[in-house]
Amino acid sequence: MRLGIDLGGTKTEGLVLTPDGAERARMRVATPFDDYTAIIRMIAQLVERLEGESGSDRIHEIGIGMPGSLSPRSGLVRNSNSTCLNGHDIHADLTEATGRQIRLANDANCFALSEASDGAGLDARCVFGVILGTGVGGGLVFDGTVIEGRNLIGGEWGHNPLPGPEAMDGPLPVCYCGRAGCIEAYLSGPGLVNDHRQHTNEHCETAEIVAAAADGQVPAAATMARYEERLARALASVMNLVDPDVIVLGGGLSNIGRLYENVPALLAGPVFSDVIDTRIVPAKHGDSSGVRGAAWLWPQMQDG
Ligand SMILES: [Zn+2]
């Protein structure tokens, strides 16, 4: 059995897979807000509950996908938009709290690996996976291998500046990372909500904005149009660099159906090619791709 955990900003999902990849147990819980100790305790409890529900023997090795990464220098969490994780030795703390061996990887890398392995990017050589959720992350998989990079920041596209800021993009929104105008600050769920508020003086949640746009309400439709145009610009910068075969979208905002029609139509301007047949598709495993990728961390690394 394999056990994977996807630690997200608002929810945490756990999964037990049989050796042939079938699901034996699955649970989803709310992530404690801004409380590192509570998060560690929650993960330890989730592991116990998943094991109990799956009826398996003790699972000694656990894979965990998380926002951010471990610094190659200190081993401590950095770059996490769940900022309470930053600066902690999460590997040591989870090893102690769970009494098991832990492997950690960036959540977007887990997502991209899952979709490249048996998801929407199956059979593609180069897959760029994008999480559009509480935060924005990217993961690049080439020939089945995650490109982690020299400094373990491969795919951290969410903290590039949004390309070519235009008048409608200002003033640049401040990002949790300390910079302003990051892709994440525009394309995350909170980024969308913030942009809508700036242009309308109204606070609406993402689902309300999407519904209002579908209903033909002009301010919400304009917010969605800005979002799509920015997503096209941001993806074009990846396409001009690595030109992936498939771009797979995950995270809560990937459920917005209109993105798959409208964003490809906006690529012709910023992408430096006369032909653009890159597929932009939703994740096959939906919200569960991150947790599936986490569950595969152990066997993959042992095989590799
Ligand atoms: Zn940032």
Side-chain angles (χ1 to χ4, degrees), residues 72-96:
R73 181 180 297 153
S74 66
L76 307 181
V77 180
R78 56 163 189 186
N79 295 347
S80 177
N81 63 351
S82 294
T83 52
C84 69
L85 304 179
N86 288 325
H88 285 282
D89 191 345
I90 196 171
H91 187 271
D93 294 336
L94 282 173
T95 301
E96 188 185 338

Side-chain angles (χ1 to χ4, degrees), residues 135-173:
V136 171
L140 185 63
V141 177
F142 191 77
D143 280 346
T145 301
V146 173
I147 308 299
E148 288 196 286
R150 174 76 182 177
N151 304 293
L152 306 183
I153 56 164
E156 288 282 17
W157 152 92
H159 297 277
N160 277 3
L162 182 73
E166 298 175 2
M168 70 168 185
D169 300 326
L172 300 185

Side-chain angles (χ1 to χ4, degrees), residues 5-16:
I5 301 280
D6 181 23
L7 171 59
T10 54
K11 62 171 174 56
T12 296
E13 186 157 18
L15 183 71
V16 175

Side-chain angles (χ1 to χ4, degrees), residues 158-160 175-180 182-185:
H159 297 277
N160 277 3
C175 183
Y176 79 89
C177 74
R179 300 176 178 88
C182 290
I183 286 171
E184 168 161 325

Side-chain angles (χ1 to χ4, degrees), residues 92-304:
D93 294 336
L94 282 173
T95 301
E96 188 185 338
T98 62
R100 300 150 205 261
Q101 289 187 277
I102 301 291
R103 275 187 182 155
L104 290 147
N106 174 263
D107 51 6
N109 285 355
C110 289
F111 166 79
L113 185 60
S114 164
E115 287 297 321
S117 300
D118 67 350
L122 182 68
D123 298 331
R125 263 198 107 179
C126 185
V127 177
F128 188 60
V130 177
I131 294 184
L132 301 171
T134 312
V136 171
L140 185 63
V141 177
F142 191 77
D143 280 346
T145 301
V146 173
I147 308 299
E148 288 196 286
R150 174 76 182 177
N151 304 293
L152 306 183
I153 56 164
E156 288 282 17
W157 152 92
H159 297 277
N160 277 3
L162 182 73
E166 298 175 2
M168 70 168 185
D169 300 326
L172 300 185
V174 174
C175 183
Y176 79 89
C177 74
R179 300 176 178 88
C182 290
I183 286 171
E184 168 161 325
Y186 289 100
L187 298 182
S188 63
L192 175 69
V193 168
N194 180 51
D195 180 66
H196 187 69
R197 187 173 45 228
Q198 272 202 337
H199 284 81
T200 64
N201 284 322
E202 282 181 20
H203 180 88
C204 299
E205 295 302 327
T206 301
E208 296 174 289
I209 298 168
V210 173
D215 197 34
Q217 295 180 30
V218 172
T223 299
M224 288 308 302
R226 284 192 301 277
Y227 185 90
E228 289 158 354
E229 199 276 331
R230 289 167 181 154
L231 180 55
R233 261 188 273 158
L235 291 177
S237 68
V238 175
M239 295 168 71
N240 285 340
L241 186 65
V242 294
D243 197 9
D245 298 298
V246 184
I247 296 172
V248 186
L249 305 185
L253 282 79
S254 71
N255 297 317
I256 302 171
R258 56 180 280 166
L259 299 183
Y260 304 95
E261 272 184 38
N262 296 348
V263 174
L266 294 165
L267 292 171
V271 173
F272 194 58
S273 173
D274 60 332
V275 175
I276 304 172
D277 64 2
T278 315
R279 289 187 291 136
I280 299 180
V281 293
K284 179 182 174 188
H285 299 297
D287 288 353
S288 297
S289 220
V291 76
R292 291 181 67 89
W296 286 99
L297 284 176
W298 279 94
Q300 286 222 347
M301 292 172 109
Q302 283 167 349
D303 291 350

Side-chain angles (χ1 to χ4, degrees), residues 47-58:
V47 167
E48 299 279 345
R49 286 173 57 205
L50 282 162
E51 209 172 56
E53 181 160 313
S54 69
S56 82
D57 295 335
R58 187 174 175 84

